[in-house]
Amino acid sequence: MVARAAARRATMRGGRSRLVATMRRNGGKGFMREVQDVREGREDGVKEIDFQAPLQIVKYPDPRLRAKNMRIDEFGDSLREFAKEMLVAMVEYDGIGLAAPQVGVNVRLMVFNPEGDPEKGPDYVLVNPRIVKSSNRHSVFEEGCISFPDIYAEVLRPERVTVEYQDLDGKKCKMQLNGLKARVFQHEYDHLQGVLFHDRMSPEVLETVRNDLEAMEQDFARENPGVQIRKVAKVTA
């Protein structure tokens, strides 16, 4: 997620973000949790993370953004160094959050800092994160994404989430996130699920960025002939 959204956090706190929906989860568990349980139960973990610094941002519609992301089983030096490089890349590209597939490494790791600056707020590093509870209250807020340069649009998300994850030592942790922190987490978590932020847009909002998305698809096709990609969905009557 990129910094333009962070610059709007005062607007969000001021109450101008619109409450647009209230949703109830079946049995309190939630569809996302059920899907995640299935995915995590079937995937094999990785023990060594292979990467090359400096990290390069993967842009839409690169297939790596849709690929399966593997659970991390080894908590050693390669993980620590990779997380450090992700934080460097996040700041370099004016981001407030970054997920591993966005730098071409398909593992379940995210970093974020809602302030966009480690001197103004803490850096968060979450390994193998999962959402265990989402609030019924949802709101719309403008988001951007490092993998979609200069594209911004409103996305509907829960206002609060409770998450479980492991830290860089493998310790199991749990925390509740609200407001912008919750939104950034959910944006990056979607990346770990192979979900991109335009997948969350309403049909009306999606139409406002369709030309930009299709232009990125065309650029990618010219630079990577023969590579299969998932294109933005067409409008159905």
Side-chain angles (χ1 to χ4, degrees):
M1 194 163 167
V2 295
R4 175 166 158 176
R8 287 166 53 91
R9 63 184 178 276
T11 298
M12 185 179 186
R13 290 171 182 168
R16 289 178 58 191
S17 61
R18 293 186 293 125
L19 179 64
V20 299
T22 300
M23 303 172 65
R24 294 190 179 279
R25 304 292 185 180
N26 292 330
K29 184 176 183 181
F31 178 72
M32 288 296 293
R33 171 80 178 270
E34 293 172 0
V35 171
Q36 180 180 319
D37 286 345
V38 171
R39 288 184 176 181
E40 290 184 350
R42 292 181 179 178
E43 66 185 11
D44 296 324
V46 296
K47 297 187 179 299
E48 192 76 14
I49 298 178
D50 185 20
F51 69 95
Q52 184 175 356
L55 300 176
Q56 302 297 313
I57 297 299
V58 171
K59 297 180 181 179
Y60 176 80
D62 193 299
R64 288 172 289 182
L65 294 174
R66 296 291 192 180
K68 180 179 179 179
N69 294 294
M70 309 298 283
R71 186 184 68 249
I72 295 171
D73 284 345
E74 188 71 25
F75 297 82
D77 291 341
S78 69
L79 174 61
R80 291 180 179 279
E81 188 61 29
F82 180 52
K84 177 181 177 181
E85 291 296 330
M86 283 185 61
L87 287 165
V88 169
M90 180 187 74
V91 173
E92 180 180 351
Y93 287 90
D94 296 323
I96 56 175
L98 187 66
Q102 291 182 273
V103 291
V105 181
N106 290 110
V107 297
R108 301 187 70 82
L109 173 67
M110 70 165 72
V111 300
F112 64 93
N113 182 328
E115 300 295 336
D117 184 344
E119 295 184 359
K120 296 181 179 179
D123 291 329
Y124 294 86
V125 179
L126 280 63
V127 184
N128 302 325
R130 58 185 291 158
I131 297 174
V132 296
K133 187 177 180 181
S134 300
S135 67
N136 290 332
R137 291 174 61 88
H138 290 60
S139 61
V140 162
F141 189 66
E142 185 182 69
E143 295 184 10
C145 181
I146 293 175
S147 294
F148 296 74
D150 301 319
I151 296 179
Y152 300 89
E154 293 185 335
V155 178
L156 173 71
R157 297 190 188 275
E159 295 183 351
R160 182 176 65 254
V161 291
T162 301
V163 305
E164 293 178 346
Y165 64 98
Q166 291 170 276
D167 64 15
L168 290 173
D169 295 317
K171 179 182 177 181
K172 293 183 179 180
C173 307
K174 186 175 183 178
M175 65 178 170
Q176 185 178 96
L177 300 171
N178 302 281
L180 183 59
K181 288 180 182 178
R183 180 163 292 270
V184 177
F185 171 88
Q186 291 173 85
H187 181 107
E188 305 309 332
Y189 179 78
D190 271 353
H191 276 296
L192 302 185
Q193 303 296 94
V195 176
L196 305 180
F197 82 138
H198 69 278
D199 298 332
R200 299 286 188 190
M201 296 176 192
S202 69
E204 296 78 12
V205 172
L206 181 59
E207 287 308 302
T208 68
V209 298
R210 177 177 296 278
N211 290 343
D212 293 328
L213 295 174
E214 291 180 344
M216 292 188 73
E217 293 169 357
Q218 292 165 8
D219 289 344
F220 184 88
R222 283 193 296 269
E223 297 170 5
N224 303 273
V227 176
Q228 296 296 311
I229 62 172
R230 176 175 160 184
K231 296 182 178 181
V232 60
K234 298 295 184 181
V235 176
T236 56

